[in-house]
Amino acid sequence: ARLGAQATEVRVVGTTPKWFDLVPRNVVAGRVLRDIDMEQHAGVCVLAEQAARKLLAGSATLGQTIKIGGESYYVIGIVETESGSGGGGVQTPDRPMDAYIPLSVARERVGDMVTQRSSGSFSREKVELHQIIVQVGETKQRIYPETRIAGWVWSMFGKSTRRVTPIENVEPTANAIERGLERFHKKVDYGISVPLALLRQARETQRIFNIVLGSIAGISLLVGGIGIMNIMLASVTERTREIGVRRAIGAKQRQIVGQFLIETVVLSCVGGLIGVGFGLLVPAIIEYFANMPTIVTWWSIVLSLGISAAVGVIFGIYPAYRAAMLDPIVALRHE
C-alpha cells in the first residue's frame, strides 16, 4: 500500500460487511464496510490500527486515498486488532497489517489469484474464497415423545419444542458443512477447523496437566506429612517426662491427644501460610516483570490452608496416640 512516498506492506482482505459482526473489533475512527459499499462496488477500505499508524503517519486518519496494487482506495475507517495475537487463525483471523475492501471490488480489481511474496520470490494460486467463517446460532428442535403418555404430558404443558443452544449446534453444523464440501469438491482442497473441537482438545491437555501437577503436589504432601510425623514422634520422645507429669496430676488420654494434634495442626498451618505467601508473591513478580496477567482465586487460598490442616491431623494422629498411650509411671522415670 502507498500513500504518496510512504509505502507499507499490508494484507488485502476482500470481505463482506458481515466480517465485522463475526470478528468484532472496536472502531477507532470512521466506520466499517456496509452493504451499500458492496452494491456500488465502492473503492473504499478499512485499515487495521497498526497498518494505519505506519501508512498514515503524519497525515489525517480518514479521507486519505491510498494505492494498493496500483488501485486507489478511500480510507473510511480504522479498527483495532486483538492485542497479543499473531492473527490469521480461526479465532483471530485478522492481522495487525490488514486492509479490508469490499469483496465485490476485490473480485473486480484483484481477481481470484492469490500472490504470496517471500525472499525475493512469489507464488500464485487461484482461490475463489480463502476463508469462510460460519457463526452457529440458536435453534428450536421438535420433541418426539417415546410414549403416548409423554406426548400427552408435553402437549398439556404446551412444550412441543426445545431450545438448542449454539454450542450444541456446532458439531452437527460442522458435519453438515463437511458433507456438503465432500459432495461438491472431488479434490480435497479445503480444511475445516471447529473451535469447539480445539477447545475440547485444550481442555483435555489442561486436564492431563492438572493431573500431573496434582500428582506432584500429592507426593509433596506425603513427604511433608511424613516429615511432620517424624518431628512429632521425636517431640514425644523428648517430652516423655512432661507427659508423665501431666498424666500423674490428672490429665486424660484425650487431652494428651488433643494437645499434640493441636501442635501438629499449628505446625502444618504455619507451613501452609508460608506456602500461600510464596504462591501470592511469585505470580505478582511474574505479572510485574513479564507483564503477564495472573489470577489467584480466594478459594484456592482457603483450599490450601484446609489441606495443610488436614495433613496435620492425619499425620499427627499416630504421634498423639503414642503420647497418650505412655504409662505415667514409666514416663516419670524416663531420663
Side-chain angles (χ1 to χ4, degrees):
R2 181 178 295 274
L3 174 63
Q6 179 72 19
T8 302
E9 184 177 349
V10 299
R11 184 184 73 154
V12 181
V13 180
T15 185
T16 66
K18 291 294 183 181
W19 168 281
F20 301 97
D21 295 331
L22 297 175
V23 189
R25 297 290 183 258
N26 295 329
V27 179
V28 179
R31 64 175 178 86
V32 296
L33 299 178
R34 296 176 182 171
D35 293 331
I36 192 172
D37 299 325
M38 292 280 294
E39 296 170 0
Q40 296 180 352
H41 298 256
V44 296
C45 74
V46 177
L47 294 177
E49 187 176 12
Q50 186 172 335
R53 287 178 179 176
K54 290 188 176 182
L55 193 60
L56 305 179
S59 305
T61 55
L62 300 178
Q64 296 292 327
T65 300
I66 63 175
K67 282 194 173 184
I68 303 177
E71 300 288 345
S72 298
Y73 296 90
Y74 184 77
V75 180
I76 60 171
I78 300 173
V79 296
E80 289 182 351
T81 51
E82 186 170 359
S83 59
S85 66
V90 176
Q91 298 291 345
T92 57
D94 54 339
R95 295 179 182 175
M97 299 297 293
D98 277 351
Y100 306 98
I101 63 176
L103 183 60
S104 57
V105 177
R107 284 177 169 169
E108 283 182 355
R109 301 185 179 183
V110 181
D112 296 329
M113 298 301 296
V114 177
T115 303
Q116 294 182 350
R117 294 181 174 88
S118 61
S119 302
S121 62
F122 70 93
S123 61
R124 284 188 174 183
E125 182 183 7
K126 184 177 181 180
V127 180
E128 295 181 358
L129 288 176
H130 181 265
Q131 185 180 48
I132 299 176
I133 304 175
V134 179
Q135 184 178 39
V136 180
E138 182 180 297
T139 59
K140 289 186 178 180
Q141 185 182 56
R142 184 175 178 82
I143 298 174
Y144 295 95
E146 298 180 357
T147 62
R148 291 184 178 180
I149 297 177
W152 178 77
V153 172
W154 283 114
S155 61
M156 184 177 65
F157 287 98
K159 294 182 178 180
S160 58
T161 59
R162 76 178 187 93
R163 183 173 61 89
V164 183
T165 62
I167 294 180
E168 294 178 274
N169 280 329
V170 168
E171 291 185 349
T173 303
N175 294 333
I177 293 174
E178 187 173 7
R179 288 194 299 268
L181 290 173
E182 289 176 353
R183 179 180 177 184
F184 295 103
H185 285 251
K186 302 303 180 182
K187 181 182 178 182
V188 182
D189 55 353
Y190 59 85
I192 300 176
S193 182
V194 184
L196 185 60
L198 298 177
L199 180 61
R200 287 180 177 175
Q201 183 179 359
R203 287 178 177 174
E204 181 66 19
T205 304
Q206 184 180 7
R207 187 179 68 85
I208 296 174
F209 188 67
N210 290 338
I211 290 174
V212 173
L213 288 181
S215 301
I216 296 174
I219 295 173
S220 301
L221 288 174
L222 179 62
V223 173
I226 293 174
I228 291 176
M229 184 172 63
N230 290 334
I231 291 173
M232 294 309 299
L233 286 173
S235 177
V236 170
T237 303
E238 293 176 355
R239 298 163 62 184
T240 301
R241 187 174 181 81
E242 174 191 337
I243 296 171
V245 172
R246 289 200 63 197
R247 291 296 308 279
I249 61 178
K252 298 181 180 179
Q253 288 182 342
R254 65 172 181 272
Q255 292 174 327
I256 301 297
V257 170
Q259 174 189 352
F260 280 90
L261 276 181
I262 290 173
E263 291 180 5
T264 308
V265 170
V266 169
L267 182 64
S268 61
C269 285
V270 169
L273 287 173
I274 295 174
V276 168
F278 276 105
L280 294 175
L281 179 62
V282 171
I285 294 175
I286 293 175
E287 188 170 359
Y288 180 79
F289 288 101
N291 198 21
M292 182 185 301
T294 57
I295 299 175
V296 179
T297 56
W298 64 268
W299 60 264
S300 62
I301 299 176
V302 176
L303 181 63
S304 301
L305 294 177
I307 292 176
S308 298
V311 168
V313 172
I314 293 172
F315 288 91
I317 290 177
Y318 179 67
Y321 177 77
R322 282 279 304 271
M325 291 297 105
L326 288 176
D327 189 343
I329 298 176
V330 176
L332 287 172
R333 293 176 179 176
H334 181 78
E335 293 294 336

